[in-house]
Amino acid sequence: MPKVGIIYNDAKPIAERLALDMQLWLKKRDIQTVMATGNGGILGYGKPDAPVCHTLIESLVPLGFDQDVMFAIALGGDGTVLSACRQIAPLRLPLLNVNTGHMGFLTETYLTDWEEAITQILDGKYVVEQRSMMTVRVYDSQGLLWEALSLNEMVLHREPLTSMCHFEVQIGSHFPVDIAADGVIISTPTGSTAYALSAGGPVIEPGIPVFQLIPICAHSMASRALVFANTEKAIVTPANRHRLVLVVDGNAGCYVYPDYRVEVERSQYPARFIRLQKGEFFKVLREKLGWGLPHVSKPNLDELT
């Protein structure tokens, strides 16, 4: 029997109801469903008395999700999509993202159109867009302490009431550089429209095989965003007396102490998004972020001739 996975945001009643409606709809078509909440992909944060909570990347796959699942469906907003990608990426399952949230930058369709969308997928009328993810690992002198998959970005920043931070950053075999800032962001192309954009980084088309490094509130006019090949590993070592905070995709993180290092590299597990029509990235930028909209004072060239 065919099988479909559903991951939903159980903090939103509408997403939970929709998951049950989908399950019934698929059952009538002799399609089995396995269900899980997005909580399984939220790793939480380390605490002062327990700064590290190591969870293996492969251990986040929900119970019942396996290679027999044809595709998975994420019901929620962008946060649910980020969590779902972390849960199913090791299985390389294609993911349909149904927006029940607000922005929905990563979602493909809306809750009013889900029946038509699933029917189209079952008919084979879709394409899969592959997006790179990052593996973020924290080490001390004894070895690996913490790891997570990231679709958007990793952020290493100071805690409140601490002073300016210094970071030594080495990309690949290139010479290390020192950055003085409140923090640093390493972002995927998908994450270039998230925190990285707010921090002044460029928007990067999702298919380009790069990452970017962005200082947060840098203490130098020479420190600017850097785009580099995602075949290169980035190693960030804090040069501070105080502990720092590592946050991955806004919903996972741990403390980073002065003798720790953070390593970021392209994951072997990509995110695979189901697209019901040919992707148009600039259209999404325009509709969600207002990029490229005509300026109200743009002159009418016909009137000038």
Side-chain angles (χ1 to χ4, degrees), residues 1 19 45 82 105 133 144-146 182 191 199 206 227 276 286 295:
M1 178 182 292
Y45 300 94
L82 294 172
F105 195 88
M133 299 182 73
L144 179 66
L145 296 174
W146 189 92
D182 282 355
V227 177
L276 302 175
R286 185 169 60 252
H295 196 278

Side-chain angles (χ1 to χ4, degrees), residues 208-276:
I208 301 176
V210 297
F211 292 147
Q212 61 173 320
L213 168 70
I214 304 168
I216 303 172
C217 299
H219 194 59
S220 169
M221 295 184 68
S223 293
R224 292 293 181 266
L226 172 70
V227 177
F228 60 96
N230 66 11
T231 54
E232 303 271 25
K233 177 190 291 187
I235 301 175
V236 182
T237 306
N240 310 281
R241 293 176 296 171
H242 307 286
R243 71 185 184 192
L244 302 179
V245 178
L246 172 73
V247 180
V248 174
D249 283 351
N251 62 19
C254 70
Y255 287 115
V256 174
Y257 287 84
D259 58 339
Y260 290 6
R261 73 181 187 276
V262 180
E263 297 190 2
V264 181
E265 61 185 333
R266 184 181 62 189
S267 171
Q268 62 177 315
Y269 306 126
R272 305 182 72 231
F273 291 159
I274 290 176
R275 298 303 185 199
L276 302 175

Side-chain angles (χ1 to χ4, degrees), residues 170-181:
Q170 182 172 6
I171 297 175
S173 59
H174 300 288
F175 192 80
V177 297
D178 183 82
I179 295 176

Side-chain angles (χ1 to χ4, degrees), residues 4 7 82 119 146 151 167 220 260 300:
V4 171
I7 297 176
L82 294 172
T119 299
W146 189 92
L151 178 61
F167 305 89
S220 169
Y260 290 6
N300 187 332

